[in-house]
Amino acid sequence: MPVVQQDTGATVWFVGAGPGDPDLITVKGRRLLEQAGAILFAGSLVDETATQFAPAGCEIRDSKDMTLEQMSAWLRAACARHRTVVRLQTGDPGLYGALVEMTRPLDAAGIAWKVVPGVSSAMAAAAAAGETLTLPEVTQTVILTRVAGRTPMPAGEELEALAAHRSTLCIFLSITLLHEVQRALRAAGWEEDAPIVVVQKASWPGVEKIVRGTLADIKRRCQDEKIASQAMIIASPALGARHWPDIARSKLYDPGFGHRFRKPSTAASAAAAVVIGAAAPAGESA
Ligand code: SAH
């Protein structure tokens, strides 16, 4: 049956607020906040300062204590009064953000909605720690995942199975389950000295914490730092690469590798070493 359009002309914008630093929202997201008639923000993870761009008179509500039904009803009611309604979510709305649960009732009510992507905490955590998530000949794959909590993992997505790839793992929603992360990585054959970094409140001005450890000691280190929430766990064979004596060279900036914007130089190619020593200029070895 076709959807009956409730033609209010309103749109609900699901805007990624970014990981915490209010400056990490996109320009588009910020412009929408500036035009918003109503903003429903996820106060458990988005700091209220993120709503600082809202115009005077904007209806602003924290959704922390609301059920999905209450949020849906609030968004629909706001659409009857305003053209621009913003649902402000942490990081990127497409990752662990209950997006579909919120858009389905809007579809059913014939209300238009759109998504504005955001900087995910996975990227913010890597940035805070000065780490790369991919490295030539080490790992070219990033897995964004979690371990089972109250939400079970679908068959085949158990951390143990994913960790068998030995790629970068960005593990969300699992800081209180570090023992389970350790068990799964061990079962997948990761060494006890495999590096792991945990970043709590990545990008939040003044409160971000970075804990570096190994598979063997990361849980104890996090306990020592009292990290029990809002933390990203990154396990990756690329961690700490900036301190390695040598790394394989990326084709991207290789003098012998031509592309649309640069011709290959055969002389330079012959002279170029296959590996880059630790003294290579920063930014040229990506
Ligand atoms: N959509 C969000 C994820 C929401 S799920 C995103 O793209 O980042 C909430 C989980 O995200 C937390 O349990 C934690 O693992 C992670 N998280 C959110 N903000 C964080 C931050 N600033 N620093 C570290 N981890 C964060």
Side-chain angles (χ1 to χ4, degrees):
M1 243 182 37
V3 168
V4 181
Q5 287 287 329
Q6 170 197 314
D7 192 17
T8 62
T11 300
V12 177
W13 295 86
F14 290 85
V15 173
D21 179 346
D23 282 353
L24 285 177
I25 192 168
T26 62
V27 173
K28 181 160 185 159
R30 181 178 166 162
R31 285 199 183 125
L32 284 161
L33 289 178
E34 286 164 357
Q35 293 165 20
I39 299 172
L40 183 62
F41 74 101
S44 53
L45 283 167
V46 176
D47 194 64
E48 192 159 5
T49 52
T51 62
Q52 67 187 307
F53 307 114
C58 178
E59 291 181 56
I60 300 178
R61 172 78 155 93
D62 184 350
S63 63
K64 198 166 50 232
D65 59 353
M66 293 164 91
T67 62
L68 187 70
E69 287 72 14
Q70 289 168 331
M71 284 161 58
S72 268
W74 195 93
L75 290 173
R76 271 175 304 177
C79 284
R81 293 191 291 275
H82 308 284
R83 288 186 68 82
T84 303
V85 175
V86 171
R87 163 66 182 157
L88 191 60
Q89 300 198 205
T90 175
D92 181 81
L95 289 168
Y96 310 104
L99 182 65
V100 175
E101 288 153 76
M102 279 186 281
T103 58
R104 282 167 60 110
L106 296 177
D107 278 337
I111 295 173
W113 56 268
K114 288 196 170 123
V115 181
V116 178
V119 176
S120 174
S121 55
M123 281 69 219
E131 297 287 354
T132 181
L133 298 176
T134 62
L135 194 64
E137 293 175 35
V138 175
T139 177
Q140 294 287 282
T141 303
V142 182
I143 295 176
L144 307 181
T145 189
R146 61 173 298 172
V147 295
R150 275 174 297 179
T151 306
M153 290 306 281
E157 293 191 16
E158 300 80 11
L159 187 58
E160 189 173 328
L162 300 177
H165 292 286
R166 299 296 183 109
S167 65
T168 296
L169 297 163
C170 296
I171 310 171
F172 291 70
L173 295 160
S174 304
I175 192 65
T176 58
L177 300 165
L178 263 178
H179 56 281
E180 179 50 26
V181 172
Q182 286 174 310
R183 189 206 60 74
L185 296 192
R186 284 182 179 127
W190 289 51
E191 309 295 335
E192 288 300 303
D193 63 356
I196 297 187
V197 64
V198 169
V199 183
Q200 184 180 44
K201 293 207 156 194
S203 87
W204 284 64
V207 291
E208 173 184 278
K209 263 192 196 169
I210 301 171
V211 177
R212 293 176 194 273
T214 60
L215 177 53
D217 65 13
I218 193 67
K219 183 167 175 216
R220 183 185 48 77
R221 285 177 187 268
C222 287
Q223 278 166 346
D224 291 349
E225 293 293 327
K226 302 195 172 24
I227 293 181
S229 67
Q230 273 177 272
M232 177 61 51
I233 305 162
I234 302 181
S236 169
L239 289 180
R242 64 181 157 169
H243 301 303
W244 298 352
D246 296 312
I247 57 164
R249 183 166 182 145
S250 159
K251 292 275 182 280
L252 187 59
Y253 301 117
D254 187 328
F257 182 77
H259 52 64
R260 209 147 56 90
F261 302 107
R262 196 185 62 219
K263 285 197 167 50
S265 139
T266 40
S269 173
V274 180
V275 292
I276 296 179
E284 291 302 306
S285 54

